[in-house]
Amino acid sequence: MYKNRVSLILLLVLVIFNTFDTSAQKKSKNKRTVANTIENTEYSSTKPKLVVGVVVDQMRYDYLTRFWDQYGEGGFKRLIDNGFNCKNNHFNYAPTYTGPGHASVYTGTTPATHGIIANDWYDKELDKSVYCASDDSYTSVGTASDAGKMSPHRMLVTTVTDQLRLHTQLRGKTIAVALKDRGAILPGGHTANGAYWFYGKNEGNWITSSFYMDELPKWVNDFNASDSAESYKKPWTTLKDISAYLESGSDNNAYEGLFEGEVTPTFPHDLPTLWEDNGAFDLIKSTPYGNSLTADFAIAALEGEDLGGDAITDFLAVSFSSTDYVGHKFGVNSKEVEDTYLRLDKDLARLLEALDKKVGENEYVFFLTADHAAINVPTYLQDLKIPAGYMDKDVLQSKFDEFLKYKYGTTDIVKNISNHQMFLDHDIIKNLDLNIGDVEEEIARELLGYSDIDRVYTAEQMWENEYTEGIPYILQNGFNLKRSGDILMVLKPGVISYSITGSTHGSPQIYDTHVPLLFYGKGIKNGSTTTRTEISDVAPTISALLDISFPSGTIGNPISKVLE
């Protein structure tokens, strides 16, 4: 009897204990579930609904400071006053061209890894020149021309836009927009929902490639049908009184190019009169109206694609290309460049206002940089007694051909010269029973004796050494083992191979590498730094902000000072 009573008491104790323990576990589990829900909600709320990446083609850093007093409050000044300014930002490779620039901004690496070594380059395997975005595997969408036969297939790694798409299981959208095809295709990456570029001539429409879609979305067709491009067929006059443009040279000078049909490079530029002789709608590209048209289309994309419409982060990549066309035509010290940036400032303000309205002022992150900078017109520098000049390609080629014939008995030993690189015919060198390394060094020493050439490096040097600073470091970052040439040439500072009017770029010199880098919006600190940053730091900084994987070829680092 006693034993039965003890057993009953023990059983009751065990039941009560188990009940209490189960209840405690449920409460603990519920607490963890609630805590995790709160934590996930807080984590999600820290992410921006939209990332907007802006690349301004051929923008020097000093355009921010030179024209500062002329800017309004809603564009560049808003970004700098309320965002973060990396004042010492540089491209860490050469050649500094549009294709490599856009690829490097979005991949977090350089041509040595992403493979976009120029806009066009000699393909050693195909034995012909190729374009960075051309792809005959696809067809044009939105035009009967071949202008849409494009894709990012020559870019060998992922972009930050690709990584965002992968991270969100393709639920986050990527839309890329630019006048230039490469300015949209390369930032959009391999997985973009859409990349659109402008086809001028007599059409004036935004188009794409069958790589992305089989037909244009309704919102794009509606935009094209609206004749928005047609509205910019008007005289290009200065935004402000030209007498206020004190940050640029005289309006009529010998350093600027001319539109076909013009006698002087002066305002106003009568676009309706110049229209047919300058490519019709293509003329818009070489005026600030091309940037305005790009802003119009980007704002239409915000609504048409409902970008930033939910908690899953989307990406809008916008490249303003007209700044490059204007710089090439008129030069960095022209009143045309000054006017173009004052008008771009207003277009940026319009874009930011549209983002405030559509996405919410504190719900997006915005960065702005450039794909390269540019040199002052050398003839202008020469007139100021600053060392500068032009390489005479014909004289150099003639002298070099004489050397090849004397040394090797043939000029066929060189297959191609482009982008300041020389591609040798390895088969001929073998047939002549010569060592490729010896030939590279002999040619390099010959070229070093030419007056306009400052430095020469060989592929063997790029292979065998690891450079960490200066010009050789920049060249090595641009040297792709499978795609680059056998000889790399660097012109003297201030010397270019270009027309005597207008500005250009492409060198490893600081006037081509120093570009703006601004961050603004959700998760961005307010401030600035003069610590050196490099263009390959942009993608990992945005990736860190979004808490996603870095692009597959990344060599850059997040700029910790930028992030809250």
Side-chain angles (χ1 to χ4, degrees), residues 58-77:
Q58 201 188 121
M59 184 174 183
R60 292 163 54 106
Y61 175 80
D62 68 346
Y63 289 159
L64 291 175
T65 55
R66 229 174 89 196
F67 308 136
W68 181 261
D69 291 341
Q70 296 275 40
Y71 289 141
E73 297 300 320
F76 288 116
K77 284 186 176 179

Side-chain angles (χ1 to χ4, degrees), residues 488-533:
L488 284 67
M489 298 170 282
V490 180
L491 302 184
K492 285 183 176 178
V495 174
I496 62 174
S497 177
Y498 197 64
S499 69
I500 61 170
T501 58
S503 294
T504 193
H505 50 85
S507 80
Q509 307 294 350
I510 200 165
Y511 45 73
D512 282 342
T513 69
H514 189 197
V515 299
L517 178 56
L518 310 176
F519 293 92
Y520 168 88
K522 191 165 192 174
I524 302 298
K525 285 181 182 177
N526 181 216
S528 65
T529 182
T530 55
T531 301
R532 181 183 171 95
T533 57

Side-chain angles (χ1 to χ4, degrees), residues 97-101 116-121 130-133 180 182 419 505:
Y97 294 139
T98 297
I116 305 298
I117 64 171
N119 294 334
D120 304 88
W121 67 86
V130 298
Y131 176 60
C132 63
K180 296 180 180 180
R182 57 188 180 271
N419 301 310
H505 50 85

Side-chain angles (χ1 to χ4, degrees), residues 431-475:
N431 290 337
L432 292 172
D433 199 26
L434 298 171
N435 177 274
I436 183 66
D438 292 340
V439 173
E440 286 179 0
E441 185 173 346
E442 287 166 352
I443 290 176
R445 289 186 181 280
E446 168 67 16
L447 292 170
L448 200 55
Y450 297 177
S451 60
D452 291 329
I453 294 180
D454 187 51
R455 303 165 187 238
V456 185
Y457 293 87
T458 66
E460 191 165 292
Q461 287 177 298
M462 294 292 111
W463 273 66
E464 293 183 350
N465 300 305
E466 184 176 352
Y467 300 105
T468 58
E469 60 184 7
I471 297 294
Y473 163 76
I474 292 174
L475 292 179

Side-chain angles (χ1 to χ4, degrees), residues 11-217:
L11 180 63
L12 288 170
V13 170
L14 287 172
V15 169
I16 292 169
F17 179 80
N18 286 337
T19 302
F20 175 81
D21 186 56
T22 302
S23 175
Q25 287 182 19
K26 284 183 178 179
K27 287 181 180 179
S28 177
K29 185 177 180 180
N30 288 340
K31 281 182 179 180
R32 285 198 301 271
T33 302
V34 170
N36 287 341
T37 301
I38 292 171
E39 185 179 339
N40 288 337
T41 301
E42 289 175 349
Y43 176 76
S44 176
S45 68
T46 63
K47 287 193 173 184
K49 293 182 178 179
L50 179 66
V51 179
V52 181
V54 170
V55 176
V56 182
D57 206 324
Q58 201 188 121
M59 184 174 183
R60 292 163 54 106
Y61 175 80
D62 68 346
Y63 289 159
L64 291 175
T65 55
R66 229 174 89 196
F67 308 136
W68 181 261
D69 291 341
Q70 296 275 40
Y71 289 141
E73 297 300 320
F76 288 116
K77 284 186 176 179
R78 175 179 172 179
L79 296 176
I80 291 174
D81 290 343
N82 301 294
F84 197 94
N85 181 5
C86 299
K87 298 182 177 183
N88 188 21
N89 184 62
H90 293 268
F91 277 87
N92 56 344
Y93 69 84
T96 41
Y97 294 139
T98 297
H102 284 78
S104 298
V105 169
Y106 282 85
T107 62
T109 189
T110 66
T113 300
H114 63 58
I116 305 298
I117 64 171
N119 294 334
D120 304 88
W121 67 86
Y122 173 72
D123 188 304
K124 292 183 280 192
E125 293 183 7
L126 299 177
D127 191 24
K128 67 176 184 179
S129 180
V130 298
Y131 176 60
C132 63
S134 63
D135 192 342
D136 289 338
S137 302
Y138 297 95
T139 57
S140 300
V141 177
T143 178
S145 73
D146 289 339
K149 298 174 75 172
M150 304 282 171
S151 86
H153 75 109
R154 288 194 169 91
M155 186 165 58
L156 303 175
V157 297
T158 63
T159 58
V160 63
T161 48
D162 286 327
Q163 295 302 149
L164 180 58
R165 291 275 286 155
L166 291 170
H167 185 81
T168 61
Q169 298 300 309
L170 306 183
R171 292 192 295 271
K173 279 187 177 180
T174 291
I175 301 295
V177 173
L179 293 179
K180 296 180 180 180
D181 48 41
R182 57 188 180 271
I185 292 166
L186 299 172
H190 305 274
T191 59
N193 299 84
Y196 303 97
W197 52 96
F198 185 68
Y199 183 67
K201 301 190 184 300
N202 291 314
E203 295 185 26
N205 287 327
W206 291 86
I207 67 169
T208 190
S209 163
S210 61
F211 176 84
Y212 304 100
M213 62 194 71
D214 295 326
E215 59 183 10
L216 293 174

Side-chain angles (χ1 to χ4, degrees), residues 336-543:
E336 282 78 5
V337 160
E338 181 168 358
D339 190 69
T340 295
Y341 276 88
L342 299 192
R343 290 180 179 274
L344 175 61
D345 183 57
K346 292 177 69 67
D347 287 326
L348 288 172
R350 280 199 301 130
L351 179 57
L352 288 165
E353 288 171 6
L355 290 165
D356 292 344
K357 183 177 179 181
K358 174 70 176 66
V359 186
E361 188 170 349
N362 298 310
E363 296 297 337
Y364 63 89
V365 66
F366 189 107
F367 72 83
L368 181 148
T369 188
D371 56 351
H372 52 74
I375 187 176
N376 247 305
V377 181
T379 48
Y380 169 66
L381 297 176
Q382 287 174 327
D383 286 347
L384 296 176
K385 298 182 175 59
I386 294 174
Y390 298 86
M391 181 184 75
D392 191 323
K393 288 192 292 185
D394 293 335
V395 170
L396 185 147
Q397 186 70 60
S398 176
K399 184 178 179 181
F400 185 63
D401 284 348
E402 287 181 13
F403 161 77
L404 292 177
K405 290 175 184 177
Y406 173 79
K407 185 73 178 178
Y408 305 110
T410 177
T411 60
D412 293 341
I413 202 168
V414 176
K415 296 185 76 171
N416 179 272
I417 301 176
S418 55
N419 301 310
H420 299 305
Q421 296 185 21
M422 196 171 289
F423 296 80
L424 305 181
D425 192 319
H426 289 220
D427 291 334
I428 290 179
I429 291 171
K430 287 178 183 178
N431 290 337
L432 292 172
D433 199 26
L434 298 171
N435 177 274
I436 183 66
D438 292 340
V439 173
E440 286 179 0
E441 185 173 346
E442 287 166 352
I443 290 176
R445 289 186 181 280
E446 168 67 16
L447 292 170
L448 200 55
Y450 297 177
S451 60
D452 291 329
I453 294 180
D454 187 51
R455 303 165 187 238
V456 185
Y457 293 87
T458 66
E460 191 165 292
Q461 287 177 298
M462 294 292 111
W463 273 66
E464 293 183 350
N465 300 305
E466 184 176 352
Y467 300 105
T468 58
E469 60 184 7
I471 297 294
Y473 163 76
I474 292 174
L475 292 179
Q476 192 167 53
N477 280 331
F479 181 81
N480 186 277
L481 292 173
K482 290 191 173 182
R483 294 183 175 180
S484 295
D486 299 285
I487 308 288
L488 284 67
M489 298 170 282
V490 180
L491 302 184
K492 285 183 176 178
V495 174
I496 62 174
S497 177
Y498 197 64
S499 69
I500 61 170
T501 58
S503 294
T504 193
H505 50 85
S507 80
Q509 307 294 350
I510 200 165
Y511 45 73
D512 282 342
T513 69
H514 189 197
V515 299
L517 178 56
L518 310 176
F519 293 92
Y520 168 88
K522 191 165 192 174
I524 302 298
K525 285 181 182 177
N526 181 216
S528 65
T529 182
T530 55
T531 301
R532 181 183 171 95
T533 57
E534 297 184 336
I535 209 67
S536 51
D537 297 331
V538 177
T541 300
I542 295 299
S543 297

